Amino acid sequence: MNYLQMRLKFRELSGRFDLVSDLGVDLGAGFFINEGRKFLDRQDETQKSWGTCFRFLNIGFYSVQFPYCRAIKEVWAATTLERWQMEKKNIQDLINGYLLDIPSQRETGLPLYYSPCITRAIPENQPVSSFESFLGWVDIPSGHVHEYNAILVSVPASEKLTILINGLFYSAELINDTDENYWSAAHPLLLYMAAMRQIEVTNRNTQGVKDWEGSIGNDVKTLGFDLVEELIAETSEMEG
């Protein structure tokens, strides 16, 4: 189902005509549907929990930002001729490696290490203008895009690289009428149930929340079973 179809089905099943018009116009249901998809994403690991985000790392740059990541699992770098997996390090190790070098003066190379890094500046939602003269020493990306995560790599890139971030990502937010995501396309009833669960949360209906979670949990658990079956397929013996 696309987003419009999802809203119309929500109206039909829930009877909440105050949240969706008879033409499918969003009157509030969209908030609960999108919060529901995030709830589903966090419940269990399925075949669609993992994703790959592609980003470019330009010459002289040493950090990459990417949206909607729940957990970074692997980071790979690639040129036009080769690809390699970067090793994860503590952020303190990478910053200590840069301790005496302003970023613009660091020697470039092909990075072998990375670390997830801080992207939240305090106070939030304010420009960093008063610190601009010191930005040469900032080892993390500046900006206030709350939905973004970032990594710091061990050396500024000596050539343009493709960075592949493998990890757990939220499914796509539904915004336009024709939008789809994993839950709306493959499991629309689960997405409906998750949206109704969010409504019960706002109504402070503890029993209603538990009832929806029971139904949702049973279905999501079976999706996890499918992932297990895929992981053990063609395995001839157990290691012990």
Side-chain angles (χ1 to χ4, degrees), residues 109-235:
L110 296 179
L112 301 178
Y113 308 101
Y114 82 94
S115 174
C117 64
I118 301 164
T119 59
R120 183 180 174 212
I122 303 298
E124 296 185 76
N125 302 316
Q126 293 189 22
V128 291
S129 56
S130 59
F131 297 97
E132 285 176 353
S133 61
F134 297 96
L135 286 181
W137 292 100
V138 173
D139 291 299
I140 61 174
S142 59
H144 305 282
V145 185
H146 300 297
E147 67 270 22
Y148 276 73
N149 289 25
I151 59 169
L152 179 72
V153 299
S154 52
V155 293
S158 58
E159 60 182 288
K160 188 172 184 178
L161 302 176
T162 302
I163 303 297
L164 298 81
I165 302 99
N166 294 332
L168 302 178
F169 286 83
Y170 280 111
S171 53
E173 182 180 3
L174 300 172
I175 300 173
N176 301 309
D177 285 349
T178 56
D179 287 351
E180 293 184 340
N181 61 25
Y182 168 60
W183 300 110
S184 70
H187 304 286
L189 183 58
L190 261 176
L191 182 55
Y192 163 76
M193 290 192 292
M196 292 302 296
R197 184 257 183 198
Q198 301 301 87
I199 289 177
E200 297 295 357
V201 169
T202 61
N203 290 335
R204 296 183 296 176
N205 182 355
T206 303
Q207 188 57 53
V209 171
K210 289 180 179 178
D211 290 344
W212 283 118
E213 287 181 350
S215 298
I216 292 167
N218 289 335
D219 283 0
V220 171
K221 183 167 61 176
T222 61
L223 298 179
F225 291 161
D226 291 342
L227 175 62
V228 173
E229 288 295 328
E230 186 174 276
L231 293 174
I232 66 175
E234 302 188 40
T235 301

